[in-house]
Amino acid sequence: MMRRFVADLHVHTLLSPCAAVEMTPRNIVWHAVEHKIDIIAITDHNACDNIPAALEAAKGTDLTILLGMEVESKEEVHLIILFDKMSQMKEWEQFTKNHMSGRLNDVARFGAQFIVDADDNLIAEKPELLLASLTAGVAEISEQVKRLGGICIASHIDRPIYSIISQLGFIPPDVELAAVEVSRHMSVEHAPMRIPAIGCLPVITASDAHVMEDFVNGPKTAFYLEQPTLGEIRQALLSQNLRKVVV
């Protein structure tokens, strides 16, 4: 049966050095269930180590966890990457590791990068600097994501930094995007008029949460789907088989 699903496809855990320590997978899951959010994507910066904890924490609930990452290209463009399967995510993680800067995190400057389990127990601190550009460009990233069967969404394209528009001025024709995301500062309805470079691409919004208040109160996107899966969301972005983005 088709129904409306509320989704937040851009959520950071405390693995992202700019996120608050309250952003543990378990706490995110608890708040998602409490506030009737149906689907979330865990999208830490250039890393995916806290996804297993989120999947474990969500067991026994109606919440769907999508496997994601927010990557930064060599042009300093932020992109949301989403996959169906952990095997795809692991292959993507290796691609990311192969294109890391090689620099170590400066905790005093950027913040700690915590890996935890589903009960909020500290497993490790990730030593690699995650707030840094990869050596791969946007075209190479989108091509690799497509090869692995995932989708690529341009993050917060209305922002003056770290967006594909701010960094490149346009969306290159060789960059395959499933959608573009706008921040809380721009409405989905007004985005195509305000940013003509969007063209005919679908527009979504998300919280880009780094603190819990932003996750709870930040913007979400509703999808009309039969099941809460990435495959169904892909169809909704293409307006296929009665699936759609609900504005």
Side-chain angles (χ1 to χ4, degrees):
M1 181 181 296
M2 303 280 285
R3 73 170 181 88
R4 183 176 181 270
F5 290 86
V6 176
D8 191 339
L9 302 183
H10 191 169
V11 182
H12 294 268
T13 77
L14 70 173
L15 175 58
S16 294
C18 44
V21 293
E22 66 180 343
M23 297 299 285
T24 65
R26 185 177 70 166
N27 204 21
I28 292 169
V29 166
W30 187 89
H31 279 83
V33 172
E34 178 73 11
H35 293 276
K36 296 180 171 52
I37 302 169
D38 302 297
I39 305 167
I40 64 171
I42 299 298
T43 55
D44 285 307
H45 290 289
N46 293 335
C48 59
D49 304 72
N50 277 344
I51 289 177
L55 292 169
E56 183 66 26
K59 286 183 178 178
T61 75
D62 292 328
L63 177 67
T64 296
I65 304 291
L66 296 183
L67 316 179
M69 185 184 293
E70 184 173 30
V71 299
E72 182 177 328
S73 74
K74 69 179 181 182
E75 302 94 346
E76 297 186 338
V77 171
H78 284 193
L79 301 165
I80 295 296
I81 310 302
L82 300 174
F83 292 105
D84 285 303
K85 303 172 184 176
M86 189 59 78
S87 59
Q88 297 168 313
M89 192 78 244
K90 286 299 182 183
E91 193 167 347
W92 173 256
E93 181 183 30
Q94 188 57 54
F95 174 88
T96 304
K97 287 180 178 178
N98 292 342
H99 290 84
M100 295 287 281
S101 68
R103 297 161 59 193
L104 296 178
N105 185 39
D106 182 341
V107 176
R109 182 178 179 185
F110 299 112
Q113 302 174 156
F114 294 119
I115 303 170
V116 297
D117 65 18
D119 294 316
D120 290 353
N121 297 309
L122 177 64
I123 296 175
E125 284 192 47
K126 199 168 183 71
E128 300 90 346
L129 177 63
L130 299 181
L131 287 181
S133 300
L134 302 181
T135 59
V138 288
E140 184 180 358
I141 289 170
S142 68
E143 180 182 357
Q144 180 71 0
V145 171
K146 181 181 179 181
R147 186 187 73 78
L148 292 174
I151 67 171
C152 189
I153 298 171
S155 304
H156 39 64
I157 65 164
D158 56 311
R159 285 181 52 183
I161 57 172
Y162 298 126
S163 81
I164 196 166
I165 302 301
S166 70
Q167 300 309 111
L168 303 181
F170 67 109
I171 299 175
D174 58 345
V175 175
E176 186 162 338
L177 298 174
V180 298
E181 173 205 74
V182 292
S183 74
R184 70 190 65 217
H185 302 296
M186 181 174 291
S187 71
V188 169
E189 297 89 342
H190 294 156
M193 179 178 61
R194 298 273 300 275
I195 309 175
I198 290 173
C200 296
L201 284 169
V203 182
I204 68 165
T205 189
S207 69
D208 188 11
H210 292 71
V211 298
M212 197 58 66
E213 182 179 358
D214 287 346
F215 175 58
V216 171
N217 298 313
K220 313 287 186 295
T221 296
F223 294 96
Y224 193 61
L225 312 169
E226 185 173 335
Q227 298 176 343
T229 67
L230 185 59
E232 293 260 324
I233 289 174
R234 190 196 302 263
Q235 291 183 67
L237 293 171
L238 295 170
S239 298
Q240 292 179 337
N241 303 318
L242 301 180
R243 280 73 171 166
K244 60 184 179 180
V245 179
V246 183
V247 178

